[in-house]
Amino acid sequence: MSKNKSLALALASVGLAAPLAHAEEPASPHSVTGNLTFATDYIVRGLSQTNKKPAVQGTVEYGHASGFYAGVFGSNVSWPADGWEPAAVGVDGSIYGGYSGTNVSASYELDLYAGLRNKFFGDFSYDVGAVYYWYPGKYQLSAVPGLKRPDTAEVYAGLGWKWLTAKVWYAVSDGVFMVPDARGTYYANLSATVPIGETGFNIVGAVGTWKWSGEAEYLKTTASTPGYGAKNSIYDLVDYKIGVTKDFLGFNWGAFYWGSTADKTYIGTSGGTGAAWGNRFGTNIGDDTFFAQATKSF
């Protein structure tokens, strides 16, 4: 977080013999902060990024007193390969599985971001910036018409008041997390972190909606994909989260319940129906779930 500029200049004359007080050195306008998080699951917009498995994550951020900031976030993930590799036994017919010949190998995510945030009118704040989600790995995507790498660029803008924050992310890349023709997809979120008196506990709540734009080639009704006849809007969802956090023993601990309507999103195929957010293991990554995390800041 950016620090306010400090100005300490004291002039004192206590009696004629009292010396003039010296001005203190101004605080540095630069700061570097970071954190390390251990989580039982990595969930983004109501969707598990690790197939319901644990994650280790870290953030390093530079901040300036002007409000400018830039940083990098990293985490292990499994969803690119889970979604697009050939289907495993027990797959539920999801459009995310069964593409023989695809070869996707990516096991971690790096997010590069920068922006400007500040307070105004006392309790109000703003935050604007851009983020690039990068998934280093191997991608042989020719077996799926139009399929993109998962790397995605978004711009975002948010307004806050005390413990309440509203924020919107807007995709500016054509490919959005492997889905092609999706520029203009946006995610809007309203979140709150409310302290419970002097107990040190905070109630955390959030609700968001993800609206997808465009029409992926692999979803169209063609000779090679009969029966889909769908647009990217099949990925639309609403997600919601409720939980509690508390600082204890040098960590910030949190326990949450996170759900979404992704478990109710289906697409008709020539062979039946399947969850749009299913994966090759037969898991719907948008199913409601409990998870916990511990974060150490430095």
Side-chain angles (χ1 to χ4, degrees):
M1 299 291 288
S2 60
K3 297 179 179 177
N4 294 326
K5 293 181 179 178
S6 64
L7 177 64
L9 181 61
L11 298 176
S13 63
V14 183
L16 295 178
L20 185 67
H22 293 286
E24 296 180 8
E25 290 295 326
S28 171
H30 309 281
S31 65
V32 177
T33 58
N35 59 62
L36 183 64
T37 296
F38 304 91
T40 60
D41 197 352
Y42 174 25
I43 303 177
V44 177
R45 302 173 186 180
L47 306 171
S48 174
Q49 310 295 291
T50 51
N51 196 36
K52 309 295 185 179
K53 294 181 175 61
V56 179
Q57 305 165 338
T59 302
V60 177
E61 181 177 296
Y62 163 79
H64 188 268
S66 64
F68 171 79
Y69 63 91
V72 58
F73 163 85
S75 178
N76 61 292
V77 296
S78 63
W79 71 265
D82 291 349
W84 293 101
E85 282 291 275
V89 175
V91 72
D92 64 357
S94 163
I95 63 167
Y96 258 37
Y99 290 113
S100 61
T102 58
N103 190 339
V104 178
S105 175
S107 59
Y108 63 98
E109 166 190 344
L110 290 175
D111 300 346
L112 311 174
Y113 63 91
L116 186 70
R117 58 187 172 215
N118 267 308
K119 287 189 174 182
F120 66 99
F121 295 147
D123 292 327
F124 290 89
S125 61
Y126 69 86
D127 184 9
V128 294
V131 56
Y132 186 75
Y133 308 91
W134 180 35
Y135 300 87
K138 180 175 62 176
Y139 301 93
Q140 298 176 6
L141 307 175
S142 58
V144 183
L147 194 62
K148 300 284 188 179
R149 290 175 59 97
D151 306 334
T152 301
E154 292 180 330
V155 294
Y156 56 84
L159 285 174
W161 176 77
K162 291 186 177 180
W163 38 263
L164 191 65
T165 301
K167 201 166 185 177
V168 177
W169 290 258
Y170 182 88
V172 294
S173 54
D174 177 68
V176 178
F177 304 112
M178 298 193 82
V179 178
D181 189 37
R183 183 181 288 112
T185 295
Y186 70 89
Y187 177 76
N189 178 270
L190 181 66
S191 62
T193 301
V194 184
I196 306 176
E198 304 297 325
T199 65
F201 286 92
N202 298 287
I203 295 293
V204 177
V207 61
T209 181
W210 207 358
K211 293 292 186 180
W212 285 74
S213 176
E215 183 179 12
E217 186 177 348
Y218 61 80
L219 294 178
K220 298 177 182 179
T221 300
T222 66
S224 60
T225 58
Y228 285 136
K231 297 183 182 296
N232 290 345
S233 58
I234 66 160
Y235 299 117
D236 288 359
L237 61 82
V238 173
D239 71 294
Y240 43 90
K241 177 175 71 172
I242 185 71
V244 61
T245 65
K246 180 178 174 57
D247 291 332
F248 183 64
L249 297 177
F251 284 80
N252 179 265
W253 302 84
F256 308 90
Y257 178 84
W258 206 328
S260 80
T261 58
D263 59 345
K264 304 175 182 65
T265 304
Y266 291 85
I267 176 175
T269 71
S270 56
T273 60
W277 289 109
N279 66 21
R280 67 189 178 109
F281 299 113
T283 300
N284 190 321
I285 63 173
D287 283 344
D288 298 2
T289 188
F290 287 96
F291 78 102
Q293 65 183 39
T295 299
K296 175 69 176 179
S297 297
F298 55 88

